[in-house]
Amino acid sequence: MKLVYQIPRNSLVWLLFAYAFVVAALTEILPIPILAIASLCLIWRIQVYRGFWKFPTRYIKYCLVALTIIVLYASFGRLIGLEPMVSLLVSGFSFKLIEMHQRRDALTVIYLAYIIAATQLLFSQTMSSALLVLAETVIITTALIGLNQSEGYRYPFKSLSTAGRLLLQAIPLMILLFLVMPRLGALWSVPSPQYSAKTGVSDSMSPGDISQLANNGDLAFRVSFSGETPEHSQRYWRGLVFSRFDGRRWSQAQPFDYGKEKEWIHWTGEPRLSWEDQLRVRSTKIDYSIIMEPSQQPWLYAMEMPVSNDREVGLARNFRLVSRTPVTQRIQYQVTSYPDYQLEADSLPDWRYRYETRLPRSFNPKAIALAKKWYRESGSVQRYIQRLLSWYNREFIYTHNPPRLGKHTADEFLFTTKRGFCEHFASSFAIMMRAAGIPARVVAGYQGGEENPYQAYLLVHQYDAHAWTEVWLQGEGWRRVDPTAAVAPQRIERGIQNIIGRQEFLAESPLSLIRYQNIRWLNLLRLQLDRLDYLWHQNILEFDGDLQNAVLKRLLGKVEPLRLVIALTSITTAVLLMIAFNLARSGRSKTQPPSVKTYLRFCRKLGKLGFVRKPHESPTVFAERVSRARPDLRQPVTKITGLFESFCYAGQGDEQELYKTVARFRPARRKI
């Protein structure tokens, strides 16, 4: 017997489809030139199959490899890192596709496809990502099944249904192993993404930065409270504190800005630092949990004033939360906030006072002069603050499309444009405070949040990004003052989406479902989908040892090795028996080809006339017997028999013609 090594057409088609599917799913990770090379390889392989192009020569392969290395260095600067290695793996996957000749080559490509599909979970573990990888697995398995079906081209979707059945049979065992396998820590370290796009609030702020996020509907984080949800106007999610100002841009204070205080961050479990005593809180507290989306940044968000017991979360010197490593994957952390607090209420050291009132020279002379004049006229800090807020309320307009500002940002905003977003108000207010000798700084984060009524948690989006001011008052310490609330109180009380026109809200993201909140059924669908993703994270991604013990105790009554072994053995045996029974039943009742079913329908029509085909009769003998008894049926009976035998035994003829001829065959009843 001669062995056949050629790749079946059915498998090749599914393999090309799987290749395109897997590579397309990594579009956000791969550089555009790598995607172009992968597309070229796909087109080349299709043209080879069609017979229009030849397989690439050795020199063409060398050129493609050299081009890939150049592209990787130009895109990432090096080959070390998660994204460069995945890009290199996809490139090798593409090159193997265009040099694929035999079945063993196809097997290599299929196994590579499984690996590349799994790499997507290194970048995202959402429910949609898991479903995408699941769909890719089905398509790749279909190609693998088709590789072992030489006649699969006749029924290409049979391979797909077989792959689906295999997956369904594996699901019970997968769930069982998920529930009972011990939750071990990571056995190896996977490098974090280094080149992914950074999203959300930046580590510095200048006029126009936060207003750009007003057109971004991406999710920033979710929040679930253990008690009642605070009012919309109280949801200030503090993330960054800007104390440095160069005349245009605000940036964070650095550790050396705090002089002798060498310890900049207090990590959970370490000894308490001296500067933490400067925070005094009362008994009122709010407990909640935050699920934060990847931002590629180390800072976290929380309400005022936060405390966290998570070991990977620390409290910075300016009393904001930070992570040990940049947030490259979705994380969850627990927080307790104390809204009734006093921070550095007693006094500020002289060097801190000078630092928090510092302004660069030769910037915003009009604003500085007006601040000094009004402060002298006001006579107290409180009256001065109220005068500024009243001015904002009377003469300024809140807009998410503010005009551009030049060198003197505060002067141009306060005396010329008078139109701005939250960062314009916060920055100008802090400048006016510092010009009057009052310590002030800008805080950036988010404000508000959308409630999901189906699961009782908040969704905070990028368009909720906000900036406000913290002012230091003698005897009270740092207090929040939000000048935006004086200009557009509805922004603070209801959210930006309720004050921007429906046509303008997320105008640059027309496909975002958030933009269509006025369409009830579409909004409900969006919230339900987000609820599923939330439950996926809570019950699957956060399924740790404690949750596993609770589930097993609820199912088994008591977690003991003997009970676990009995349960595992019983369920595994039951699943395997079901699979074996299904295989045995499908083996006994094999599905008949459509041509055979058509011929049997033809025989049933003759059976109604009294001509029953005997088990030992061949189609030709049966046709001759019918023709002798009914000469008027000789022509259609002979034609149908010939079509059937030609298609089934000679591999020729048209199956559709057989089907149509049998459908038109309606013999008249006649006494025999």
Side-chain angles (χ1 to χ4, degrees), residues 108-208:
T108 302
V109 174
I110 289 173
Y111 297 151
L112 282 173
Y114 280 120
I115 296 173
I116 294 174
T119 61
Q120 297 171 34
L121 298 177
L122 298 175
F123 300 94
S124 175
Q125 296 87 35
T126 62
M127 185 179 66
S128 57
S129 300
L131 292 176
L132 180 62
V133 173
L134 184 64
E136 293 172 10
T137 302
V138 172
I139 301 301
I140 298 169
T141 305
T142 302
L144 180 61
I145 293 172
L147 193 62
N148 297 280
Q149 294 178 335
S150 58
E151 298 295 323
Y153 67 91
R154 293 186 176 181
Y155 315 106
F157 288 99
K158 185 177 180 181
S159 302
L160 179 62
S161 63
T162 303
R165 286 198 304 271
L166 289 175
L167 178 65
L168 291 176
Q169 292 169 0
I171 286 178
L173 292 178
M174 178 187 70
I175 296 175
L176 178 64
L177 293 176
F178 176 79
L179 291 175
V180 303
M181 287 297 293
R183 317 319 278 184
L184 301 176
L187 301 180
W188 58 82
S189 177
V190 177
S192 300
Q194 301 174 356
Y195 305 93
S196 300
K198 297 180 179 181
T199 58
V201 179
S202 178
D203 58 352
S204 62
M205 187 195 78
S206 61

Side-chain angles (χ1 to χ4, degrees), residues 426-594:
S427 176
S428 61
F429 187 85
I431 292 172
M432 295 289 284
M433 288 291 106
R434 289 191 172 194
I438 303 171
R441 57 195 185 186
V442 175
V443 180
Y446 297 87
Q447 196 281 324
E450 178 188 13
E451 296 187 39
N452 190 323
Y454 299 109
Q455 196 65 32
Y457 66 90
L458 294 180
L459 296 93
V460 180
H461 300 90
Q462 295 297 344
Y463 59 73
D464 291 315
H466 190 57
W468 59 95
T469 309
E470 286 183 348
V471 177
W472 187 83
L473 305 176
Q474 183 67 46
E476 298 184 31
W478 292 101
R479 308 307 299 175
R480 172 180 14 106
V481 180
D482 189 356
T484 302
V487 182
Q490 63 272 30
R491 158 65 181 91
I492 307 303
E493 297 171 0
R494 295 188 297 163
I496 187 174
Q497 67 273 28
N498 292 308
I499 64 173
I500 295 180
R502 181 58 56 186
Q503 298 299 324
E504 297 180 8
F505 180 59
L506 296 181
E508 298 179 5
S509 304
L511 298 181
S512 176
L513 293 180
I514 306 176
R515 190 167 186 263
Y516 306 100
Q517 296 180 11
N518 58 321
I519 304 178
R520 178 176 173 78
W521 71 269
L522 202 57
N523 191 49
L524 294 179
L525 174 63
R526 175 182 64 87
L527 293 174
Q528 285 285 17
L529 291 176
D530 190 87
R531 173 178 175 268
L532 291 176
D533 194 34
Y534 174 82
L535 294 175
W536 169 267
H537 180 89
Q538 292 288 75
N539 299 313
I540 303 299
L541 299 183
E542 291 296 315
F543 191 78
D544 55 10
D546 295 337
L547 185 57
Q548 183 186 42
N549 288 332
V551 171
L552 292 177
K553 186 177 293 185
R554 189 162 59 247
L555 294 176
L556 302 178
K558 189 176 182 181
V559 181
E560 294 179 341
L562 180 59
R563 295 193 181 193
L564 284 175
V565 171
I566 293 176
L568 182 62
T569 304
S570 302
I571 297 176
T572 303
T573 302
V575 172
L576 293 178
L577 286 175
M578 290 175 59
I579 295 175
F581 176 76
N582 184 51
L583 291 175
R585 187 179 62 178
S586 62
R588 288 196 303 267
S589 57
K590 295 182 179 180
T591 303
Q592 295 174 328

